[in-house]
Amino acid sequence: MKVSQNWLKTLVDIDSTPHDLSEKLSIGGFEVDNLQDCSENVNGVVLGKVLSVIKHEGSDKLSICQVDVGHVNNLQVICGAKNIKPNIFVYVATVGAHLSAANLTIKRSEIRGVMSEGMICSLQELGLEDSSDGIAIVDQDIAIKHELGTPAAILLDLKDYVYDLAITANRPDGMSVLGIAREISALLEAKFHFPELSNKYKIKLLKNLDLCTEAITSNCIYTITSIEGLNGIQLSPSWLKDRIEKSGIKSINLLVDITNFILLERGQPLHAFDKDKVSNLIGKEALPDDFSVRKAKEKETLRCLDGEIYELNENITVITCSNIPIAIAGVIGGLETAVSDTTTSIFLEAAVFNPVSIRQTSKEIGIRTESSSRFEKGISFKNTIDSVTRALNLIEEFFGDNNPIINISKELIHDEQFIKLRRSRIHKILGPILPKNSQSINSDELDKRNLSDKEIEDKLKLIGCILESKEYGWDVQVIPNRSQDLCREIDLIEEIARLIGYDLFDLKLPNPIKPGKLSLSQLALKKLNNGFIENGFNEVLSYSLVSEENNELIKISNPLLLETSCLRDNIWKEHLRIINRNIKVGQTSCWIFEVGNIFHKKIEFVQEQILSGAIYGKRKLEKWVDSGKDNDLNYYEARGKLNEAISSLNINIVDKATDSIDFLHPGKTAELFVEGKEAGYFGEIHPRLILEKQSLKKIYLFSLKVNNILEASTRKNKWIPIYKDFPTVPKMERDINLIFNKKYLISEIISQIKKTGKSLLENVDLIDVFEGEDLGNNFVSYTFRLSYRGNEKTLIESDITTIHSNIISTLENRFNSKLRN
């Protein structure tokens, strides 16, 4: 939002410098992105009078001019303009002036043997027009009011500053000059001059207007006003043109400029339709009842003010007359009904639309305008009639009185809504205030006090609030253009603190200050992250919003883009894209992981935190060692990398083969279990995805359920290390070799062995696997090495015979296995 200081000075008494005011606005919440000095481009340019013009002997086009700029000596200036002549007033750039528009610094220079001591300027060279036919000649009536040598900035009304403000979504009042002026009034405690309405007009309720309920909700309004006796060729006065152009809007003609002026002054977008053009379009005399608001039909088109033809659809809201589209609601008007030089009557539209509807429309057609940005932030329908009245006052001032009628879509009920503001609550939230200029003194030595009632009332009145005193404090009524962000008691308390100054309140830190610490789960998650990084993985962060790929995704109610309209239900797809991008740029390996949330649509919406990742290629420094070999990891190598990364948590993860995960290889995928609970998966990408070019190489994907992992790793017997004495007696080892059906997992067999021999059995290792034709296709031979050790004595054969026999018999019964001869 751009606004000039001269405009603000007509609304509020400003006694601070532009730079000080910029700082106050930024601290107050209206950040000033840029402060532009309008006179910067004409510094060193002054009013001069051409005394004489002599043709240059060395050129047919150049003239030697004597120019009086108020100095003791006249300046000799070489000029090549065709319209140069004696006794005219001109703008002269003196030596040292820099003309930014022409990228030229003026110096004393010799031109064709004659010295030139300045430059007579055109408006183009001063950066005030796009093109000029010759030098600028100052109107004599204006020039004689000023002394020669007067800075051009004064004559051109450029002694001004333009504030470029970044307005946040919660402060739509900042999208109007009146809102900014009221804020300045509150910050400076200066008087605010609200423009009075000189005349009120008759209001008529249109009961039969056909209005789309999505675009015109209960907090919205639609108005249309017919105005006659106009002249589209009339241009704006200089004050009006100056204000809108300094705000970044090009002056068109008086009618259009008035609508833009109201947009800037009050934050209420208006649009003018040429009444005759509308009537010609619908084939009859247009009436206010003919207007309506509806959703566009598929394949409808409309040529808009920017000259573009837009193809419409059901997500776009349009303004129609006799059901023919004439504008895209809240965004841009139609070219066919636009105001032009031939306009003699208009329909003036003023409305408040649902912000969601306008945002959706703006996204669909791909443009954002001054009007749509205000509708998207939200404006109050309670200001609409006053905004129309203000526009009609201006039209009446320039074109005469024609007694228009404002047609509205709903009755305006003046309901007074109050917010309960408790004195005790203010004091509890904000605490005591310190004397000014006492920040460097120990606060314990100062006289602290709570805010007085007068201070509270004064600050709230500065922002337009109406207060009724009560025993508990006040009932507060907020002005309409602040009703978006001041709707609760705590909002008013925050506003009081902001206007008083946060730095004036005493600190309320807990005493003593106790340092915080990470919980066991947070420490475990940090350890898990470090484990992956230390083992060569790179942490990535992907966006949790995705496009709508299927109906199972959770849609967000107000997406910015279609590509970010849903919450993700997986992370592996984004990781696959990351791996593919790395492969395309020539990376031979890429190991990544991410801790993030996924979202499921069940009976209720469920948010789940997972650790997801992908592994591609071998990470090695000495590439010459095996540069000609396959770069891919095999399943066990990749699974080992995952095991190394999570080994610091001291948990046992059990793998169980599965073919139920459709995007992973059915023969090279395992579900992961911790303490009997499902904890995730690990597997190779499905070959189908490689054939479909969704995956460019063989990639391993994994996912861990963070809550299950952390719960298991933070148990007392896992988290706190248990130290044991070194054994003082030797162990005894025995090997067993049995034939098992391949359907049984090694983990199940080892678990059963440990369970059976737990009194003396210290460890079990698989030391050999054998498959052969003599065993059959469905059977395999496993050899296990069992280590026995006593607590206090060296074991002998008789000590382990019974336990060893029980282990073998249990395996034979439990797994239908048999000892191999």
Side-chain angles (χ1 to χ4, degrees), residues 56-122:
H56 195 299
E57 294 180 358
S59 172
D60 295 334
K61 296 182 179 179
L62 298 179
S63 301
I64 304 171
C65 308
Q66 295 296 319
V67 183
D68 184 1
V69 293
H71 295 174
V72 175
N73 298 318
N74 297 330
L75 298 182
Q76 180 172 280
V77 180
I78 307 300
C79 180
K82 295 179 181 179
N83 60 338
I84 188 69
K85 58 185 178 180
N87 299 317
I88 61 172
F89 294 93
V90 293
Y91 296 117
V92 182
T94 57
V95 173
H98 179 74
L99 303 178
S100 301
N103 192 24
L104 179 65
T105 300
I106 306 302
K107 301 176 183 177
R108 293 183 79 254
S109 57
E110 190 175 291
I111 303 175
R112 302 280 179 94
V114 179
M115 185 61 66
S116 179
E117 301 173 303
M119 175 178 171
I120 301 175
C121 302
S122 67

Side-chain angles (χ1 to χ4, degrees), residues 228-325:
E228 308 285 343
L230 307 176
N231 182 3
I233 204 169
Q234 186 167 337
L235 299 178
S236 299
S238 58
W239 67 266
L240 178 57
K241 182 179 178 181
D242 177 70
R243 290 180 184 182
I244 66 172
E245 288 191 339
K246 284 178 179 175
S247 295
I249 298 178
K250 185 179 180 181
S251 176
I252 306 296
N253 57 43
L254 180 55
L255 287 174
V256 175
D257 289 354
I258 287 174
T259 63
N260 287 329
F261 177 78
I262 300 301
L263 169 93
L264 294 168
E265 183 189 68
R266 309 220 166 206
Q268 170 66 63
L270 303 178
H271 186 71
F273 300 100
D274 186 306
K275 188 174 180 179
D276 293 332
K277 291 180 180 179
V278 172
S279 298
N280 291 335
L281 180 66
I282 67 174
K284 68 181 186 72
E285 183 181 355
L287 300 172
D289 302 79
D290 295 325
F291 285 80
S292 64
V293 181
R294 65 168 171 84
K295 290 294 183 182
K297 300 173 184 177
E298 292 291 338
K299 304 300 182 182
E300 270 188 321
T301 59
L302 180 66
R303 185 186 292 275
C304 292
L305 292 172
D306 57 3
E308 296 290 329
I309 298 176
Y310 294 95
E311 185 173 304
L312 311 178
N313 59 54
E314 294 179 351
N315 293 322
I316 297 172
T317 307
V318 293
I319 308 298
T320 67
C321 189
S322 292
N323 208 35
I324 299 175

Side-chain angles (χ1 to χ4, degrees), residues 200-453:
K200 297 290 183 74
Y201 303 94
K202 184 178 179 181
I203 296 175
K204 178 183 177 182
L205 177 65
L206 292 180
K207 297 182 179 180
N208 298 322
L209 279 180
D210 184 13
L211 303 176
C212 171
T213 54
E214 287 184 35
I216 306 292
T217 60
S218 59
N219 290 327
C220 301
I221 193 172
Y222 188 82
T223 75
I224 195 79
T225 307
S226 177
I227 309 171
E228 308 285 343
L230 307 176
N231 182 3
I233 204 169
Q234 186 167 337
L235 299 178
S236 299
S238 58
W239 67 266
L240 178 57
K241 182 179 178 181
D242 177 70
R243 290 180 184 182
I244 66 172
E245 288 191 339
K246 284 178 179 175
S247 295
I249 298 178
K250 185 179 180 181
S251 176
I252 306 296
N253 57 43
L254 180 55
L255 287 174
V256 175
D257 289 354
I258 287 174
T259 63
N260 287 329
F261 177 78
I262 300 301
L263 169 93
L264 294 168
E265 183 189 68
R266 309 220 166 206
Q268 170 66 63
L270 303 178
H271 186 71
F273 300 100
D274 186 306
K275 188 174 180 179
D276 293 332
K277 291 180 180 179
V278 172
S279 298
N280 291 335
L281 180 66
I282 67 174
K284 68 181 186 72
E285 183 181 355
L287 300 172
D289 302 79
D290 295 325
F291 285 80
S292 64
V293 181
R294 65 168 171 84
K295 290 294 183 182
K297 300 173 184 177
E298 292 291 338
K299 304 300 182 182
E300 270 188 321
T301 59
L302 180 66
R303 185 186 292 275
C304 292
L305 292 172
D306 57 3
E308 296 290 329
I309 298 176
Y310 294 95
E311 185 173 304
L312 311 178
N313 59 54
E314 294 179 351
N315 293 322
I316 297 172
T317 307
V318 293
I319 308 298
T320 67
C321 189
S322 292
N323 208 35
I324 299 175
I326 56 175
I328 297 176
V331 182
I332 191 170
L335 185 62
E336 198 170 352
T337 56
V339 171
S340 64
D341 293 349
T342 61
T343 298
T344 58
S345 58
I346 63 169
F347 282 113
L348 183 65
E349 175 200 71
V352 173
F353 298 103
N354 181 11
V356 175
S357 172
I358 299 304
R359 192 175 295 114
Q360 186 180 42
T361 297
S362 182
K363 281 165 46 186
E364 284 288 330
I365 64 174
I367 61 172
R368 198 162 185 261
T369 61
E370 291 283 349
S371 295
S372 68
S373 64
R374 285 164 173 78
F375 284 127
E376 287 176 24
K377 283 184 170 66
I379 59 178
S380 174
F381 72 92
K382 295 179 181 179
N383 287 329
T384 303
I385 299 301
D386 283 350
S387 298
V388 175
T389 302
R390 172 72 165 147
L392 294 176
N393 287 171
L394 290 172
I395 291 173
E396 193 175 273
E397 179 182 337
F398 291 106
F399 296 103
D401 185 11
N402 56 35
N403 295 318
I405 297 173
I406 303 174
N407 299 282
I408 63 175
S409 63
K410 62 185 286 186
E411 290 187 12
L412 297 177
I413 302 172
H414 298 285
D415 57 329
E416 296 181 348
Q417 296 182 349
F418 290 92
I419 302 172
K420 181 179 179 180
L421 180 60
R422 295 166 291 176
R423 185 182 297 104
S424 59
R425 187 67 175 162
I426 296 173
H427 295 159
K428 182 177 180 180
I429 294 292
L430 300 182
I433 192 171
L434 300 173
K436 289 187 177 181
N437 304 319
S438 62
Q439 280 71 23
S440 60
I441 304 173
N442 187 342
S443 64
D444 294 334
E445 302 173 3
L446 298 171
D447 293 329
K448 306 173 193 176
R449 63 176 180 83
N450 287 322
L451 288 173
S452 66
D453 286 4

Side-chain angles (χ1 to χ4, degrees), residues 585-600:
V585 297
Q587 294 293 330
T588 57
S589 66
C590 185
W591 300 359
I592 58 174
F593 79 99
E594 175 181 357
V595 178
N597 293 318
I598 58 174
F599 307 87
H600 303 291

